[in-house]
PDB file of all heavy atoms in Angstrom:
ATOM      1  N   ALA A 207     -14.934 -20.395   7.158  1.00 51.00           N
ATOM      2  CA  ALA A 207     -13.555 -20.704   7.358  1.00 51.00           C
ATOM      3  C   ALA A 207     -12.707 -20.205   6.210  1.00 51.00           C
ATOM      4  O   ALA A 207     -11.582 -19.682   6.351  1.00 51.00           O
ATOM      5  CB  ALA A 207     -13.355 -22.175   7.591  1.00 51.00           C
ATOM      6  N   ARG A 208     -13.227 -20.464   5.021  1.00 56.00           N
ATOM      7  CA  ARG A 208     -12.515 -19.948   3.770  1.00 56.00           C
ATOM      8  C   ARG A 208     -12.386 -18.484   3.764  1.00 56.00           C
ATOM      9  O   ARG A 208     -11.413 -17.890   3.368  1.00 56.00           O
ATOM     10  CB  ARG A 208     -13.152 -20.477   2.529  1.00 56.00           C
ATOM     11  CG  ARG A 208     -12.911 -21.887   2.336  1.00 56.00           C
ATOM     12  CD  ARG A 208     -13.530 -22.390   1.020  1.00 56.00           C
ATOM     13  NE  ARG A 208     -13.276 -23.752   0.758  1.00 56.00           N
ATOM     14  CZ  ARG A 208     -13.785 -24.441  -0.312  1.00 56.00           C
ATOM     15  NH1 ARG A 208     -14.493 -23.770  -1.248  1.00 56.00           N
ATOM     16  NH2 ARG A 208     -13.523 -25.736  -0.504  1.00 56.00           N
ATOM     17  N   ASP A 209     -13.507 -17.722   4.181  1.00 51.00           N
ATOM     18  CA  ASP A 209     -13.526 -16.330   4.248  1.00 51.00           C
ATOM     19  C   ASP A 209     -12.463 -15.733   5.181  1.00 51.00           C
ATOM     20  O   ASP A 209     -11.773 -14.764   4.950  1.00 51.00           O
ATOM     21  CB  ASP A 209     -14.951 -15.790   4.582  1.00 51.00           C
ATOM     22  CG  ASP A 209     -15.952 -16.007   3.436  1.00 51.00           C
ATOM     23  OD1 ASP A 209     -15.501 -16.225   2.345  1.00 51.00           O
ATOM     24  OD2 ASP A 209     -17.094 -15.936   3.795  1.00 51.00           O
ATOM     25  N   ARG A 210     -12.464 -16.440   6.326  1.00 52.00           N
ATOM     26  CA  ARG A 210     -11.412 -16.000   7.290  1.00 52.00           C
ATOM     27  C   ARG A 210     -10.021 -16.204   6.938  1.00 52.00           C
ATOM     28  O   ARG A 210      -9.120 -15.357   7.087  1.00 52.00           O
ATOM     29  CB  ARG A 210     -11.644 -16.697   8.713  1.00 52.00           C
ATOM     30  CG  ARG A 210     -12.899 -16.259   9.453  1.00 52.00           C
ATOM     31  CD  ARG A 210     -12.789 -16.771  10.918  1.00 52.00           C
ATOM     32  NE  ARG A 210     -12.965 -18.221  10.932  1.00 52.00           N
ATOM     33  CZ  ARG A 210     -14.021 -18.918  10.990  1.00 52.00           C
ATOM     34  NH1 ARG A 210     -15.215 -18.262  11.037  1.00 52.00           N
ATOM     35  NH2 ARG A 210     -14.012 -20.134  11.069  1.00 52.00           N
ATOM     36  N   GLU A 211      -9.861 -17.322   6.188  1.00 52.00           N
ATOM     37  CA  GLU A 211      -8.455 -17.706   5.665  1.00 52.00           C
ATOM     38  C   GLU A 211      -8.048 -16.620   4.648  1.00 52.00           C
ATOM     39  O   GLU A 211      -6.991 -16.195   4.538  1.00 52.00           O
ATOM     40  CB  GLU A 211      -8.459 -19.054   5.084  1.00 52.00           C
ATOM     41  CG  GLU A 211      -7.056 -19.547   4.551  1.00 52.00           C
ATOM     42  CD  GLU A 211      -7.108 -20.974   4.136  1.00 52.00           C
ATOM     43  OE1 GLU A 211      -8.051 -21.671   4.262  1.00 52.00           O
ATOM     44  OE2 GLU A 211      -6.047 -21.336   3.443  1.00 52.00           O
ATOM     45  N   ARG A 212      -9.064 -16.340   3.764  1.00 55.00           N
ATOM     46  CA  ARG A 212      -8.768 -15.394   2.638  1.00 55.00           C
ATOM     47  C   ARG A 212      -8.484 -13.964   3.276  1.00 55.00           C
ATOM     48  O   ARG A 212      -7.602 -13.322   2.853  1.00 55.00           O
ATOM     49  CB  ARG A 212     -10.028 -15.260   1.723  1.00 55.00           C
ATOM     50  CG  ARG A 212      -9.770 -14.397   0.516  1.00 55.00           C
ATOM     51  CD  ARG A 212     -10.911 -14.328  -0.388  1.00 55.00           C
ATOM     52  NE  ARG A 212     -11.229 -15.650  -0.941  1.00 55.00           N
ATOM     53  CZ  ARG A 212     -12.349 -16.326  -0.501  1.00 55.00           C
ATOM     54  NH1 ARG A 212     -13.264 -15.739   0.352  1.00 55.00           N
ATOM     55  NH2 ARG A 212     -12.636 -17.493  -0.946  1.00 55.00           N
ATOM     56  N   ALA A 213      -9.219 -13.585   4.287  1.00 49.00           N
ATOM     57  CA  ALA A 213      -8.938 -12.320   4.881  1.00 49.00           C
ATOM     58  C   ALA A 213      -7.648 -12.301   5.583  1.00 49.00           C
ATOM     59  O   ALA A 213      -6.897 -11.301   5.561  1.00 49.00           O
ATOM     60  CB  ALA A 213     -10.053 -12.023   5.944  1.00 49.00           C
ATOM     61  N   GLY A 214      -7.294 -13.416   6.175  1.00 51.00           N
ATOM     62  CA  GLY A 214      -5.923 -13.463   6.857  1.00 51.00           C
ATOM     63  C   GLY A 214      -4.823 -13.367   5.809  1.00 51.00           C
ATOM     64  O   GLY A 214      -3.743 -12.694   6.041  1.00 51.00           O
ATOM     65  N   ASP A 215      -4.996 -13.992   4.650  1.00 53.00           N
ATOM     66  CA  ASP A 215      -3.911 -13.896   3.603  1.00 53.00           C
ATOM     67  C   ASP A 215      -3.823 -12.428   3.109  1.00 53.00           C
ATOM     68  O   ASP A 215      -2.776 -11.930   2.875  1.00 53.00           O
ATOM     69  CB  ASP A 215      -4.347 -14.814   2.373  1.00 53.00           C
ATOM     70  CG  ASP A 215      -4.158 -16.244   2.696  1.00 53.00           C
ATOM     71  OD1 ASP A 215      -3.466 -16.581   3.705  1.00 53.00           O
ATOM     72  OD2 ASP A 215      -4.786 -17.171   2.021  1.00 53.00           O
ATOM     73  N   GLN A 216      -4.991 -11.821   2.924  1.00 55.00           N
ATOM     74  CA  GLN A 216      -4.959 -10.396   2.475  1.00 55.00           C
ATOM     75  C   GLN A 216      -4.286  -9.502   3.515  1.00 55.00           C
ATOM     76  O   GLN A 216      -3.469  -8.562   3.111  1.00 55.00           O
ATOM     77  CB  GLN A 216      -6.369  -9.891   2.151  1.00 55.00           C
ATOM     78  CG  GLN A 216      -7.030 -10.512   1.004  1.00 55.00           C
ATOM     79  CD  GLN A 216      -8.456 -10.232   0.852  1.00 55.00           C
ATOM     80  OE1 GLN A 216      -9.097  -9.651   1.789  1.00 55.00           O
ATOM     81  NE2 GLN A 216      -9.041 -10.452  -0.274  1.00 55.00           N
ATOM     82  N   SER A 217      -4.554  -9.772   4.838  1.00 59.00           N
ATOM     83  CA  SER A 217      -3.932  -8.911   5.827  1.00 59.00           C
ATOM     84  C   SER A 217      -2.402  -9.079   5.817  1.00 59.00           C
ATOM     85  O   SER A 217      -1.604  -8.223   5.951  1.00 59.00           O
ATOM     86  CB  SER A 217      -4.457  -9.343   7.171  1.00 59.00           C
ATOM     87  OG  SER A 217      -3.824  -8.683   8.217  1.00 59.00           O
ATOM     88  N   ARG A 218      -1.911 -10.431   5.667  1.00 63.00           N
ATOM     89  CA  ARG A 218      -0.466 -10.704   5.627  1.00 63.00           C
ATOM     90  C   ARG A 218       0.080  -9.958   4.375  1.00 63.00           C
ATOM     91  O   ARG A 218       1.283  -9.484   4.455  1.00 63.00           O
ATOM     92  CB  ARG A 218      -0.188 -12.220   5.634  1.00 63.00           C
ATOM     93  CG  ARG A 218      -0.374 -12.889   7.005  1.00 63.00           C
ATOM     94  CD  ARG A 218       0.051 -14.257   6.992  1.00 63.00           C
ATOM     95  NE  ARG A 218      -0.736 -15.095   6.152  1.00 63.00           N
ATOM     96  CZ  ARG A 218      -1.849 -15.728   6.556  1.00 63.00           C
ATOM     97  NH1 ARG A 218      -2.195 -15.588   7.835  1.00 63.00           N
ATOM     98  NH2 ARG A 218      -2.591 -16.528   5.828  1.00 63.00           N
ATOM     99  N   GLN A 219      -0.525 -10.048   3.215  1.00 64.00           N
ATOM    100  CA  GLN A 219      -0.057  -9.415   2.041  1.00 64.00           C
ATOM    101  C   GLN A 219       0.016  -7.911   2.181  1.00 64.00           C
ATOM    102  O   GLN A 219       1.068  -7.357   1.720  1.00 64.00           O
ATOM    103  CB  GLN A 219      -0.895  -9.848   0.840  1.00 64.00           C
ATOM    104  CG  GLN A 219      -0.762 -11.263   0.465  1.00 64.00           C
ATOM    105  CD  GLN A 219      -1.816 -11.643  -0.563  1.00 64.00           C
ATOM    106  OE1 GLN A 219      -2.641 -10.806  -0.951  1.00 64.00           O
ATOM    107  NE2 GLN A 219      -1.792 -12.908  -1.010  1.00 64.00           N
ATOM    108  N   GLY A 220      -0.988  -7.322   2.877  1.00 64.00           N
ATOM    109  CA  GLY A 220      -0.987  -5.956   3.101  1.00 64.00           C
ATOM    110  C   GLY A 220       0.196  -5.523   4.045  1.00 64.00           C
ATOM    111  O   GLY A 220       0.912  -4.536   3.686  1.00 64.00           O
ATOM    112  N   SER A 221       0.455  -6.291   5.037  1.00 77.00           N
ATOM    113  CA  SER A 221       1.551  -6.005   6.039  1.00 77.00           C
ATOM    114  C   SER A 221       2.922  -6.108   5.242  1.00 77.00           C
ATOM    115  O   SER A 221       3.848  -5.329   5.529  1.00 77.00           O
ATOM    116  CB  SER A 221       1.558  -6.959   7.208  1.00 77.00           C
ATOM    117  OG  SER A 221       0.389  -6.803   7.987  1.00 77.00           O
ATOM    118  N   GLN A 222       3.106  -7.105   4.381  1.00 85.00           N
ATOM    119  CA  GLN A 222       4.250  -7.326   3.639  1.00 85.00           C
ATOM    120  C   GLN A 222       4.482  -6.130   2.777  1.00 85.00           C
ATOM    121  O   GLN A 222       5.659  -5.721   2.660  1.00 85.00           O
ATOM    122  CB  GLN A 222       4.189  -8.586   2.967  1.00 85.00           C
ATOM    123  CG  GLN A 222       5.508  -8.903   2.089  1.00 85.00           C
ATOM    124  CD  GLN A 222       5.373 -10.206   1.333  1.00 85.00           C
ATOM    125  OE1 GLN A 222       4.483 -10.357   0.519  1.00 85.00           O
ATOM    126  NE2 GLN A 222       6.238 -11.077   1.567  1.00 85.00           N
ATOM    127  N   SER A 223       3.453  -5.658   2.075  1.00 84.00           N
ATOM    128  CA  SER A 223       3.623  -4.526   1.143  1.00 84.00           C
ATOM    129  C   SER A 223       4.033  -3.270   1.977  1.00 84.00           C
ATOM    130  O   SER A 223       4.873  -2.576   1.466  1.00 84.00           O
ATOM    131  CB  SER A 223       2.278  -4.249   0.500  1.00 84.00           C
ATOM    132  OG  SER A 223       1.988  -5.319  -0.495  1.00 84.00           O
ATOM    133  N   VAL A 224       3.444  -3.084   3.142  1.00 89.00           N
ATOM    134  CA  VAL A 224       3.880  -1.926   3.926  1.00 89.00           C
ATOM    135  C   VAL A 224       5.314  -1.968   4.350  1.00 89.00           C
ATOM    136  O   VAL A 224       6.039  -0.968   4.154  1.00 89.00           O
ATOM    137  CB  VAL A 224       2.913  -1.768   5.212  1.00 89.00           C
ATOM    138  CG1 VAL A 224       3.451  -0.728   6.112  1.00 89.00           C
ATOM    139  CG2 VAL A 224       1.536  -1.431   4.830  1.00 89.00           C
ATOM    140  N   ARG A 225       5.794  -3.105   4.767  1.00 87.00           N
ATOM    141  CA  ARG A 225       7.184  -3.329   5.146  1.00 87.00           C
ATOM    142  C   ARG A 225       8.037  -3.065   3.973  1.00 87.00           C
ATOM    143  O   ARG A 225       9.147  -2.448   4.117  1.00 87.00           O
ATOM    144  CB  ARG A 225       7.411  -4.738   5.682  1.00 87.00           C
ATOM    145  CG  ARG A 225       6.820  -4.938   7.206  1.00 87.00           C
ATOM    146  CD  ARG A 225       7.468  -6.115   7.803  1.00 87.00           C
ATOM    147  NE  ARG A 225       7.063  -7.318   7.069  1.00 87.00           N
ATOM    148  CZ  ARG A 225       6.010  -8.136   7.201  1.00 87.00           C
ATOM    149  NH1 ARG A 225       5.119  -7.777   8.095  1.00 87.00           N
ATOM    150  NH2 ARG A 225       5.774  -9.185   6.509  1.00 87.00           N
ATOM    151  N   ARG A 226       7.685  -3.622   2.827  1.00 89.00           N
ATOM    152  CA  ARG A 226       8.532  -3.374   1.676  1.00 89.00           C
ATOM    153  C   ARG A 226       8.626  -1.986   1.238  1.00 89.00           C
ATOM    154  O   ARG A 226       9.635  -1.471   0.828  1.00 89.00           O
ATOM    155  CB  ARG A 226       7.934  -4.258   0.526  1.00 89.00           C
ATOM    156  CG  ARG A 226       8.255  -5.768   0.572  1.00 89.00           C
ATOM    157  CD  ARG A 226       7.551  -6.521  -0.560  1.00 89.00           C
ATOM    158  NE  ARG A 226       7.979  -7.876  -0.625  1.00 89.00           N
ATOM    159  CZ  ARG A 226       7.517  -8.813  -1.455  1.00 89.00           C
ATOM    160  NH1 ARG A 226       6.577  -8.495  -2.318  1.00 89.00           N
ATOM    161  NH2 ARG A 226       7.971 -10.036  -1.424  1.00 89.00           N
ATOM    162  N   ALA A 227       7.505  -1.248   1.284  1.00 90.00           N
ATOM    163  CA  ALA A 227       7.399   0.164   0.886  1.00 90.00           C
ATOM    164  C   ALA A 227       8.374   0.966   1.828  1.00 90.00           C
ATOM    165  O   ALA A 227       9.142   1.812   1.439  1.00 90.00           O
ATOM    166  CB  ALA A 227       5.985   0.736   0.940  1.00 90.00           C
ATOM    167  N   LEU A 228       8.287   0.681   3.145  1.00 87.00           N
ATOM    168  CA  LEU A 228       9.122   1.424   4.140  1.00 87.00           C
ATOM    169  C   LEU A 228      10.569   1.076   3.932  1.00 87.00           C
ATOM    170  O   LEU A 228      11.463   1.939   4.095  1.00 87.00           O
ATOM    171  CB  LEU A 228       8.666   1.025   5.508  1.00 87.00           C
ATOM    172  CG  LEU A 228       7.338   1.537   5.946  1.00 87.00           C
ATOM    173  CD1 LEU A 228       6.905   1.019   7.333  1.00 87.00           C
ATOM    174  CD2 LEU A 228       7.179   3.004   5.992  1.00 87.00           C
ATOM    175  N   ASP A 229      10.908  -0.169   3.593  1.00 87.00           N
ATOM    176  CA  ASP A 229      12.275  -0.492   3.343  1.00 87.00           C
ATOM    177  C   ASP A 229      12.728   0.240   2.060  1.00 87.00           C
ATOM    178  O   ASP A 229      13.933   0.685   2.013  1.00 87.00           O
ATOM    179  CB  ASP A 229      12.473  -2.007   3.033  1.00 87.00           C
ATOM    180  CG  ASP A 229      12.297  -2.926   4.333  1.00 87.00           C
ATOM    181  OD1 ASP A 229      12.509  -2.260   5.455  1.00 87.00           O
ATOM    182  OD2 ASP A 229      12.030  -4.087   4.255  1.00 87.00           O
ATOM    183  N   LEU A 230      11.989   0.408   0.983  1.00 88.00           N
ATOM    184  CA  LEU A 230      12.345   1.139  -0.127  1.00 88.00           C
ATOM    185  C   LEU A 230      12.485   2.611   0.180  1.00 88.00           C
ATOM    186  O   LEU A 230      13.463   3.289  -0.377  1.00 88.00           O
ATOM    187  CB  LEU A 230      11.298   0.980  -1.213  1.00 88.00           C
ATOM    188  CG  LEU A 230      11.110  -0.353  -1.922  1.00 88.00           C
ATOM    189  CD1 LEU A 230      10.303  -0.280  -3.157  1.00 88.00           C
ATOM    190  CD2 LEU A 230      12.427  -0.947  -2.275  1.00 88.00           C
ATOM    191  N   LEU A 231      11.690   3.176   1.066  1.00 88.00           N
ATOM    192  CA  LEU A 231      11.868   4.512   1.525  1.00 88.00           C
ATOM    193  C   LEU A 231      13.199   4.699   2.161  1.00 88.00           C
ATOM    194  O   LEU A 231      13.926   5.724   1.975  1.00 88.00           O
ATOM    195  CB  LEU A 231      10.724   4.950   2.438  1.00 88.00           C
ATOM    196  CG  LEU A 231      10.661   6.438   2.790  1.00 88.00           C
ATOM    197  CD1 LEU A 231      10.475   7.291   1.593  1.00 88.00           C
ATOM    198  CD2 LEU A 231       9.522   6.625   3.802  1.00 88.00           C
ATOM    199  N   SER A 232      13.554   3.812   3.057  1.00 82.00           N
ATOM    200  CA  SER A 232      14.899   3.794   3.657  1.00 82.00           C
ATOM    201  C   SER A 232      16.030   3.737   2.741  1.00 82.00           C
ATOM    202  O   SER A 232      17.009   4.416   2.796  1.00 82.00           O
ATOM    203  CB  SER A 232      15.012   2.744   4.755  1.00 82.00           C
ATOM    204  OG  SER A 232      14.086   2.905   5.825  1.00 82.00           O
ATOM    205  N   LEU A 233      15.821   2.898   1.672  1.00 85.00           N
ATOM    206  CA  LEU A 233      16.846   2.715   0.633  1.00 85.00           C
ATOM    207  C   LEU A 233      17.022   4.049  -0.154  1.00 85.00           C
ATOM    208  O   LEU A 233      18.182   4.381  -0.366  1.00 85.00           O
ATOM    209  CB  LEU A 233      16.447   1.564  -0.277  1.00 85.00           C
ATOM    210  CG  LEU A 233      17.308   1.225  -1.435  1.00 85.00           C
ATOM    211  CD1 LEU A 233      18.771   0.827  -0.994  1.00 85.00           C
ATOM    212  CD2 LEU A 233      16.699   0.169  -2.342  1.00 85.00           C
ATOM    213  N   ILE A 234      15.972   4.630  -0.578  1.00 88.00           N
ATOM    214  CA  ILE A 234      16.056   5.924  -1.362  1.00 88.00           C
ATOM    215  C   ILE A 234      16.732   6.924  -0.430  1.00 88.00           C
ATOM    216  O   ILE A 234      17.496   7.717  -0.881  1.00 88.00           O
ATOM    217  CB  ILE A 234      14.662   6.390  -1.724  1.00 88.00           C
ATOM    218  CG1 ILE A 234      14.001   5.350  -2.649  1.00 88.00           C
ATOM    219  CG2 ILE A 234      14.764   7.810  -2.393  1.00 88.00           C
ATOM    220  CD1 ILE A 234      14.783   5.187  -4.005  1.00 88.00           C
ATOM    221  N   ALA A 235      16.384   6.924   0.843  1.00 82.00           N
ATOM    222  CA  ALA A 235      16.988   8.007   1.790  1.00 82.00           C
ATOM    223  C   ALA A 235      18.510   7.816   1.831  1.00 82.00           C
ATOM    224  O   ALA A 235      19.194   8.793   1.801  1.00 82.00           O
ATOM    225  CB  ALA A 235      16.349   7.803   3.174  1.00 82.00           C
ATOM    226  N   ALA A 236      18.973   6.541   1.819  1.00 75.00           N
ATOM    227  CA  ALA A 236      20.477   6.321   1.811  1.00 75.00           C
ATOM    228  C   ALA A 236      21.108   6.822   0.577  1.00 75.00           C
ATOM    229  O   ALA A 236      22.308   7.168   0.623  1.00 75.00           O
ATOM    230  CB  ALA A 236      20.658   4.851   2.093  1.00 75.00           C
ATOM    231  N   TRP A 237      20.441   6.860  -0.510  1.00 81.00           N
ATOM    232  CA  TRP A 237      21.011   7.261  -1.862  1.00 81.00           C
ATOM    233  C   TRP A 237      20.572   8.625  -2.222  1.00 81.00           C
ATOM    234  O   TRP A 237      20.978   9.089  -3.349  1.00 81.00           O
ATOM    235  CB  TRP A 237      20.612   6.269  -2.913  1.00 81.00           C
ATOM    236  CG  TRP A 237      21.318   4.926  -2.841  1.00 81.00           C
ATOM    237  CD1 TRP A 237      20.987   3.851  -2.100  1.00 81.00           C
ATOM    238  CD2 TRP A 237      22.475   4.634  -3.618  1.00 81.00           C
ATOM    239  NE1 TRP A 237      21.868   2.820  -2.299  1.00 81.00           N
ATOM    240  CE2 TRP A 237      22.904   3.236  -3.213  1.00 81.00           C
ATOM    241  CE3 TRP A 237      23.306   5.227  -4.527  1.00 81.00           C
ATOM    242  CZ2 TRP A 237      23.957   2.609  -3.731  1.00 81.00           C
ATOM    243  CZ3 TRP A 237      24.399   4.634  -5.062  1.00 81.00           C
ATOM    244  CH2 TRP A 237      24.711   3.240  -4.570  1.00 81.00           C
TER     245      TRP A 237
END
């Protein structure tokens, strides 16, 4: 159960990083 929870946390963190990176790419494009 702990392994699944840890894997879920890592997946959410990875998704958040991807979204943030794409948002930064849009920000740079605007400037």
Side-chain angles (χ1 to χ4, degrees):
R208 287 184 178 179
D209 289 342
R210 286 195 297 270
E211 183 177 349
R212 188 178 300 110
D215 289 341
Q216 291 173 344
S217 177
R218 284 190 292 272
Q219 290 172 0
S221 297
Q222 184 182 53
S223 294
V224 171
R225 287 195 300 270
R226 285 176 170 176
L228 292 174
D229 286 343
L230 291 191
L231 187 60
S232 295
L233 177 63
I234 297 296
W237 284 86

